[in-house]
Each structure stands twice: as C-alpha cells, then as structure tokens.
Amino acid sequence: AIVGCSPIPEFGEAPVTDVYDVGVDAAARGDYMVAIEAFKRITNEWPLDDLADDALLGLADAYREVGDYALAEAEYLRLMVDYSRSPLVADTEYKLGLVHLAQSRPAALDQAMTLSAIDQFNRFLARYPENAHAGDARQHVVALRGRLAEKQISSAELYMTLGNPTAARVYYEAVVADYADTPIVAKALLGIVGSYLASGDIDSATKALARLEGSHPGSDEAAEAAAQIAAEIAAENAGVELQPEE
C-alpha cells in the first residue's frame, strides 16, 4: 500500500547519486510513487551508470509494493537480462518469486500462479542454494505446495459429500504421494480412514489408521481417526446385539 504521496520532485540537472538517494529515501518511507519516478529517471537516462542496476531493482520493488505486479515482473526480468552479471540478480530471482506469490489465489480457485511461484522459487534455490533468502524461499515452496494439496483435499471432500468414497480416496492418496512434505498429509490420511469407513470396510480403515499413526504419531488426526473407527465398531456391535433371535 502507498503510505505517503509526496509531490513528484523536479530533478532538473541533479546528479545520478542525488536522484538515487531521493528514490531510496522515498521507498523507505513508503512514498512509492516518488521512488518510481526517481528510479525511472536513472534507468532511462543513466542505464550504464554503476547505480543503474540498483535503481532498476528499486523500481521493480516499488511496483511490487503498490501491487502493479505486471510492471514489477517486467522490471525484474529486465534486470536479469540487461544486467545479467550484476550481484543483484540473485535477489531479483527471489523477488520475482514474490511477485508470483502475491498473485497466488486461495486453494478453491485457479492455481496457475501458485505453480508459477513454486517454479520460480525452485529455480532460485537451484541457482543460489546458499543465498540469504533461500530459507524463506523453501518455506514459501512448502506453503504453496500445501495450497495445491488443499485443492486436492477439497476435491476429495466433494466426492465424500456426493457419496463416492472410492473416488475421494484417489484424491486423498494423491496428496499423500505427491505432497508428503506438507503438513496437510495428516488430513489426507485421516480422509482415507473416513473413506474406508464410508465404504463399510473397517479392516482397511484400521490399516489406514496404522499408516497415519506411523507417520504422525500422537497427532490430532490420528486420535480422530481412532475415534471414528471405535465409533463404527461400536455401532456395528450394537446393531448385531439388537438383531432379533431366530
């Protein structure tokens, strides 16, 4: 968000260093429109100056801060191409991932930008595994993959609601197979237990519980799955006891 909005300064014949300082100071106080004008002045008029790549990164950052992701992405890519030997390229690759991350939508919606963000962060990590932003990038990847897993879980839950536990189980198993690094796997394993119970297969549900307890011992999901199985067994036993004798 734009914190402040000062009048756009008249740079006149100000040297590049002064214009750059105006941009940096403006960005620091959240006055991104002034920062954009200052950094654009440098990238347009002094593209070969030592500060040009810094200004271009500042320009892209300012666009990202005001939510103009298309222009932010364009300027990040421009830096990577026009200043490919700049030491700022590594940070630029990470920030390009942030542009996609900011546009990633909730699990129920289209996940194209989520996939783009994952791809960009993974490219960054492959090239710069020791970068200061590497830890954050890895956390973003896990969170984004969790969002993809949530979408699969939602599909599984829909099939459960529609009375098709077999189809639901396909989606739950896909989450376990494809997103083992995400916390939502426990929920998928719980769903597998529920899908077997919905099919009346207590033996398979019990085996699925063993999988859940093996990978997530002591978890709330394991406790809930055990309770579901116990309730189903109790209901089944009660039904047998209530049957009239012949």
Side-chain angles (χ1 to χ4, degrees), residues 164-217:
N164 191 340
T166 301
R169 192 157 55 249
V170 171
Y171 283 91
Y172 286 132
E173 290 286 6
V175 171
V176 176
D178 298 338
Y179 301 99
D181 58 327
T182 68
I184 204 170
V185 166
K187 185 175 182 180
L189 289 166
L190 171 61
I192 292 171
V193 172
S195 72
Y196 279 123
L197 291 177
S199 300
D201 189 345
I202 294 178
D203 288 342
S204 294
T206 301
K207 292 177 182 177
L209 171 61
R211 289 173 65 191
L212 176 52
E213 291 177 329
S215 59
H216 297 79

